[in-house]
Amino acid sequence: MKHNYLVAIGVLALLGGTTANAQGRGRGRGREDHQNPPGQQVSQQEQQRRIAEEQQRQAEYQRTLDAQIRAAQARTAELQAQQRANAQLAAQQRYLQALRAQEAQLRTQRDYARDPYVSTAPTYRYRVNGSTRETNQYGADALRAAVNNGYQIGYQQGQADRSDGVPSNYRRSFAYQDANYGYSGNYIGRSDYNYYFREGFRRGYSDGFGSRLQYGTSSNGSASILGNVLSAILGLTNIR
């Protein structure tokens, strides 16, 4: 199922034609049925658990997203009242527009029973803040999307801050604080997505604000993180 991939593509298009190198699919939580070899199907019981988890995750994200849209609107109003913040305002307006698009996408009905994520056994391990997780290829795609999305938005924000003549500070950005851009509520927990989005964001911001590219490339206004940097951030390992 390519629902999350399409979300990433559609939302990135709203932010000035940036390319969506990463696909946004997949994730497990480290409680998969290990009697199934990696890449094969998990048990029916595990599939039902995943469906329930996905439904809960998406419902919780819908509530969170509503609140974040209101916060983004407030931040937009603050920038509108400031002088000499034109580039920051434009970036914030694009970000708000993207969150609204995500909200609309969440209303699309999803067929959990036919989603391959639900039945596919874990094939990767990764770590977040010292905790080990396991996931399948769909989760790995979602993690890659988080880093890529973070880098692209961070690059745009870094450029905006430099254009407005404000000091470098990636933590000041609403997009960094929110870290939900491109997330659909599918396959991985929001905290995991937020973590990897911010890892990509701060590198993208550094490249966008600075005078040279260290972590990615830029062409025709579209920024993309380097593959080796992406791999180093995620640290995905195959389950043997």
Side-chain angles (χ1 to χ4, degrees):
M1 184 177 181
K2 297 185 178 180
H3 174 270
N4 204 15
Y5 177 82
L6 294 175
V7 170
I9 290 288
V11 176
L12 283 170
L14 288 171
L15 284 153
T18 53
T19 56
N21 309 10
Q23 289 123 31
R25 297 183 301 180
R27 186 239 190 211
R29 191 174 282 183
R31 295 179 298 182
E32 332 303 350
D33 185 348
H34 293 282
Q35 295 179 353
N36 297 276
Q40 297 188 11
Q41 287 195 339
V42 297
S43 67
Q44 286 294 324
Q45 181 180 7
E46 173 62 12
Q47 291 181 42
Q48 291 303 311
R49 186 198 68 78
R50 290 189 187 183
I51 289 174
E53 181 182 58
E54 289 289 284
Q55 290 172 328
Q56 180 181 6
R57 183 152 49 213
Q58 209 165 46
E60 290 176 350
Y61 181 53
Q62 178 66 72
R63 292 190 294 271
T64 299
L65 185 55
D66 290 342
Q68 289 304 101
I69 287 175
R70 291 192 296 272
Q73 290 171 330
R75 176 57 178 160
T76 303
E78 289 177 6
L79 289 172
Q80 287 172 332
Q82 295 178 14
Q83 296 180 351
R84 293 180 298 179
N86 294 332
Q88 296 172 77
L89 174 59
Q92 177 65 22
Q93 288 173 328
R94 290 194 299 268
Y95 192 84
L96 174 58
Q97 185 181 12
L99 291 184
R100 285 171 172 161
Q102 288 177 214
E103 185 180 42
Q105 194 65 254
L106 280 175
R107 300 192 185 101
T108 302
Q109 189 170 4
R110 182 178 167 199
D111 187 353
Y112 292 96
R114 300 183 64 181
D115 190 325
Y117 160 77
V118 169
S119 58
T120 304
T123 50
Y124 296 101
R125 287 193 181 96
Y126 67 100
R127 293 179 65 81
V128 176
N129 292 325
S131 298
T132 301
R133 310 270 204 271
E134 292 185 359
T135 190
N136 55 31
Q137 69 185 71
Y138 304 100
D141 285 345
L143 295 170
R144 294 185 185 102
V147 179
N148 270 286
N149 290 340
Y151 180 85
Q152 292 172 34
I153 303 306
Y155 185 85
Q156 292 179 3
Q157 186 63 59
Q159 285 188 315
D161 285 0
R162 183 180 63 183
S163 177
D164 285 341
V166 300
S168 175
N169 183 357
Y170 65 87
R171 295 180 184 274
R172 178 181 56 237
S173 169
F174 179 89
Y176 177 83
Q177 296 167 17
D178 175 52
N180 286 308
Y181 167 82
Y183 184 60
S184 68
N186 299 338
Y187 308 149
I188 63 173
R190 188 165 60 90
S191 62
D192 288 7
Y193 187 95
N194 295 161
Y195 174 84
Y196 282 110
F197 179 94
R198 291 181 177 121
E199 288 295 297
F201 186 99
R202 62 186 182 87
R203 290 169 172 84
Y205 184 95
S206 176
D207 280 357
F209 192 93
S211 58
R212 66 186 181 92
L213 295 172
Q214 294 180 278
Y215 305 106
T217 61
S218 177
S219 177
N220 298 322
S222 176
S224 178
I225 196 167
L226 295 172
N228 63 327
V229 177
L230 173 64
S231 297
I233 292 172
L234 290 177
L236 291 170
T237 58
N238 291 321
I239 296 176
R240 301 299 180 184

